[in-house]
Amino acid sequence: MAFDYKKEYKEFYSPPKKPSIVDIPSINYIAVRGKGDPNDENGEYKKAINMLYGISFTIKMSYKGEHKIDGYFEYVVPPLEGFWWQDGIKGIDYAHKENFHFISLIRLPDFVTKTDFDWAIAEATQKKKTDFSKVELLSYKEGLCVQCMHIGSYDDEPTTITTMHQYAKQNGYELDIADTRYHHEIYLSDPRKCDISRLKTVVRHPIKPKQ
């Protein structure tokens, strides 16, 4: 049976619908940076997602070709994730999505080396006739965070976020969104196939002990 990160790391991908504190270790990702409204059909975000999945599935299916990755095991491609921020504010202004900056992400298995990643970029570029130069290998340690499972529209996240911040404060923490610590979303539902009222999204914010 293929290894499924969502099932093996439930504390990261299946938090309850009430806030909890979690410490996220260093994780390797395929990443694409960009900016703009994620709902823009011709925008950078849609293109970033296509690039991420292009490389993710090139690596996942590598065992069927000539490039053999040392330590490879069959796995389910982890869910799409995103770090989001807007210049000049510590949080998210959902009324001005055109001001979003993002890093779109898909987790990589630890057996994927920089050499394997570079091979995947070259392989996908050749086979798909697409420019994958914006795709990068990113190692990121998120550290201490408060998180919660949000059910429903992305635009309704502020209610969940308020509850998260109150929980963190009650437990001796304060918000720590900064230049390298972001509003984080993990998308467990496909909005093209799921009613908006049932969308499942892990929402995560960085925190630190209250001074």
Side-chain angles (χ1 to χ4, degrees):
M1 184 178 294
F3 187 91
D4 189 336
Y5 286 88
K6 298 191 304 296
K7 295 179 179 179
E8 298 297 330
Y9 295 97
K10 291 183 178 180
E11 68 273 27
F12 299 155
Y13 299 103
S14 298
K17 289 183 285 186
K18 59 182 181 179
S20 58
I21 306 298
V22 65
D23 194 358
I24 311 296
S26 181
I27 295 174
N28 293 332
Y29 298 94
I30 304 171
V32 178
R33 300 170 190 264
K35 59 183 179 181
D37 188 338
N39 296 317
D40 183 352
E41 287 299 324
N42 297 312
E44 293 184 20
Y45 184 68
K46 302 293 186 184
K47 296 174 183 176
I49 292 175
N50 289 334
M51 286 188 278
L52 287 178
Y53 279 108
I55 300 303
S56 292
F57 279 97
T58 297
I59 293 172
K60 173 182 169 61
M61 304 306 295
S62 62
Y63 72 96
K64 292 189 173 183
E66 295 182 359
H67 183 86
K68 304 301 180 183
I69 299 178
D70 188 35
Y72 180 94
F73 54 79
E74 289 194 52
Y75 64 97
V76 177
V77 171
L80 178 70
E81 308 185 34
F83 295 146
W84 298 90
W85 70 95
Q86 290 160 312
D87 293 336
I89 64 173
K90 284 193 173 183
I92 295 295
D93 179 359
Y94 290 83
H96 292 282
K97 296 178 181 178
E98 70 277 6
N99 296 330
F100 273 139
H101 295 264
F102 64 81
I103 306 174
S104 288
L105 312 147
I106 294 179
R107 183 174 182 160
L108 272 178
D110 289 340
F111 58 69
V112 178
T113 66
K114 182 63 165 60
T115 299
D116 298 319
F117 176 82
D118 290 342
W119 165 83
I121 296 292
E123 180 77 358
T125 299
Q126 179 183 6
K127 287 191 173 182
K128 299 178 183 296
K129 308 303 181 186
T130 300
D131 180 10
F132 288 95
S133 60
K134 290 187 68 175
V135 184
E136 62 183 276
L137 176 61
L138 176 67
S139 294
Y140 184 79
K141 183 176 181 180
E142 198 166 9
L144 202 60
C145 296
V146 60
Q147 68 178 10
C148 189
M149 182 69 77
H150 173 75
I151 307 295
S153 169
Y154 305 127
D155 290 338
D156 293 336
E157 286 181 8
T159 300
T160 297
I161 289 169
T162 296
T163 303
M164 288 165 49
H165 291 178
Q166 291 173 343
Y167 177 85
K169 185 176 180 180
Q170 291 166 359
N171 285 272
Y173 298 97
E174 60 185 3
L175 192 63
D176 191 32
I177 288 180
D179 288 345
T180 58
R181 304 197 76 197
Y182 312 102
H183 171 91
H184 187 178
E185 298 179 358
I186 303 175
Y187 308 105
L188 303 179
S189 305
D190 186 339
R192 299 169 301 177
K193 302 176 182 178
C194 178
D195 186 272
I196 193 170
S197 65
R198 300 175 61 188
L199 289 174
K200 297 175 69 174
T201 308
V202 180
V203 180
R204 189 180 291 162
H205 275 184
I207 56 174
K208 62 182 178 181
K210 198 177 300 181
Q211 300 297 319

